Amino acid sequence: MNQAVTPNVRTGKITAAPNPATGALLGEVPNTPEEDYASIFNQARRAQKIWAQKSFAQRHKHLIKMRNHIRDNADDLARLISDSNGKTRMDALITEVLPCQLACDWYGKNAAKVLAPERRGPSSLLWVGKRSEVRHEPLGVVGIISPWNYPLSIPFGEILMGLMAGNAIVLKVAAATPLVGKAIEEIIAAGELPDGLFSHIVGSGGRVSTAMFENGIDKLFFTGSVPTGKQLMAQAAETLTPVSLELGGKDPMIVLKDADLERAANGAAWAGYQNAGQSCGGVERIYVHESVYDRFVTLLADRTRALRHGVPNDECSVDIGSMTTASQRLTVEKQLAEAVASGATIVAQSEGPGHGDGHFHPATLVTDVDHAMTLMREETFGPIMPVMPFRTEDEAVELANDSPMALTASIWTRDTRHGKQLANRIKGGVVAINDHLYTHAMSDVPWGGPGESGIGRTHGPEGLMEMTKPKVVNWDWLKAKRNLWWYPQDRSSYNAIRNALYLVAPRSPFDFLRAAVKVLPVMIRKMYF
């Protein structure tokens, strides 16, 4: 997720939050005094010890209260997110508010099953008396640094996973959306958690991340740009602090010759232009079979021109709002200009809102592109969709995989079975068939990708596991006086261990029986007499 420099103005100890679509000041949030950082982390550790003793059912009751608060304040939350980020009210409701309510239910109901202790029997005859239990213990204090493109749903899902796993949470939201951070505080307050279990720090991202490491957080969850993720990983290495990083996406969409082109064009418009293209899991590259290329481009061009572009409002009379930051808009403009200078063609654009103070960029469909262009290689994170034709599926796979980022991808075909087979060849944490940009809202499946798309996973059982550390409890029900390999050692013990190799890997059944005859008497004599 390309998290560029934010437009917020810091004056003294205040963070100001302007509306990116209008330039109007939404409000100001006091920065957390740095001298309070240490006490915040200390209080979190004390509260976590109490919280970890609660059952999953008890923790779930707190999430129900949060869920109900979200439900009862959905319109206000959608409006605040829209005003803070620039996305439309509908975008805010469907991609942020609703997923948070769904997440409260799923994590609350499923954490106990996912994180239940697991009994494991002996893996070999050599360990016949041993039994093990794998327990998933809380990490302790978890740090979360979240971005401005989904300022509610990204951090809130991680907060819920951390809480249900028994952790305390210290959150740092993006400087561009501090008021959404305050809204998260209100949701958490409705959950009536123990004092200090959750804290939200407002301030410099670099200073807060340093404080997290200095105060010994047990894991950092970061969502943002690839360069910043690498910096945080290097910083975490100094204290061997584990990290989970959800970073960039340059996600491909492959349209096969048998695809439903109407659905594909509609899906591309949504997944490429939604949130003004500021989605790490959105469509950033489209590859279309040459036999249907012209028809697809015509359909997508029509949908691009038809989009209503303007300042988001309660009447939901626009389809695309503004971008969130001026610097990100400039990045998009630069990539587009470079591509056009190199021969790319702008086929269609949405009609913008005209002059104003907002960070608007029209939805733009581009053809005549190639992989030498920055537009096709680096994350754009804006409402630009470049389209290329391909001849063979092998060529499409090669083009789709030609990126260090592999967060998501999609394949469009009427043959679902073939789509699933082709998905095996596509790099990506998520490969969808005939859809794109929605699985982040599904609490039951993992989110994340390999390469420069990050490390680790959030969401689903895998996300809950990321919030824990495994502990093995092992015991022996045979109750022997000593193990065969304990002191004093002698030749008979050595020979018994040597013959045990044939118990594990016998050449034949007779080989196994002969080894057993040689091992068992020595084991009994050495262990019990």
Side-chain angles (χ1 to χ4, degrees), residues 91-135:
D91 270 3
L93 184 66
I94 193 65
T95 68
E96 304 236 41
V97 178
L98 178 60
C100 288
Q101 184 169 345
L102 295 174
C104 287
D105 271 343
W106 196 86
Y107 293 117
K109 293 176 180 177
N110 290 278
K113 178 174 61 177
V114 172
L115 301 178
E118 177 188 351
R119 284 288 184 95
R120 297 187 185 178
S123 58
S124 168
L125 285 174
L126 298 181
W127 314 121
V128 65
K130 301 295 185 183
R131 295 294 182 270
S132 297
E133 182 178 85
V134 180
R135 300 175 182 176

Side-chain angles (χ1 to χ4, degrees), residues 322-499:
S322 74
M323 299 189 68
T324 307
T325 73
S327 60
Q328 189 56 42
R329 175 172 54 84
L330 292 174
T331 295
V332 173
E333 291 173 351
K334 181 180 178 181
Q335 284 195 14
L336 180 60
E338 288 178 351
V340 171
S342 298
T345 301
I346 296 177
V347 176
Q349 288 187 308
S350 61
E351 184 176 348
H355 297 290
D357 297 324
H359 303 310
F360 291 97
H361 191 287
T364 304
L365 178 62
V366 183
T367 60
D368 301 318
V369 294
D370 59 60
H371 277 217
M373 298 176 180
T374 303
L375 182 66
M376 297 296 287
R377 301 199 64 81
E378 295 183 8
E379 188 175 29
T380 302
F381 218 62
I384 312 292
M385 278 203 289
V387 188
M388 284 182 65
F390 67 85
R391 290 186 176 184
T392 67
E393 288 187 4
D394 288 343
E395 180 186 2
V397 170
E398 183 178 357
L399 290 168
N401 290 340
D402 184 25
S403 173
M405 292 168 278
L407 187 58
T408 79
S410 62
I411 299 168
W412 301 73
T413 174
R414 284 186 169 90
D415 188 343
T416 302
R417 180 179 179 183
H418 179 60
K420 291 179 179 179
Q421 292 172 342
L422 189 59
N424 293 334
R425 303 174 61 192
I426 302 299
K427 294 191 301 184
V430 176
V431 180
I433 312 296
N434 295 324
D435 213 329
H436 203 116
L437 190 59
Y438 70 98
T439 62
H440 188 271
M442 300 173 68
S443 300
D444 58 317
V445 295
W447 179 260
E452 291 195 352
S453 287
I455 294 174
R457 295 293 186 271
T458 58
H459 298 192
E462 293 80 3
L464 283 168
M465 289 293 187
E466 292 266 5
M467 291 287 182
T468 66
K469 53 190 176 186
K471 174 189 283 185
V472 175
V473 177
N474 180 270
W475 64 95
D476 194 323
W477 62 270
L478 289 179
K479 297 180 171 46
K481 294 181 178 180
R482 62 190 293 271
N483 289 332
L484 179 61
W485 51 89
W486 286 1
Y487 302 123
Q489 297 175 349
D490 56 26
R491 188 65 191 184
S492 63
S493 298
Y494 179 90
N495 288 338
I497 298 296
R498 184 69 179 84
N499 281 290

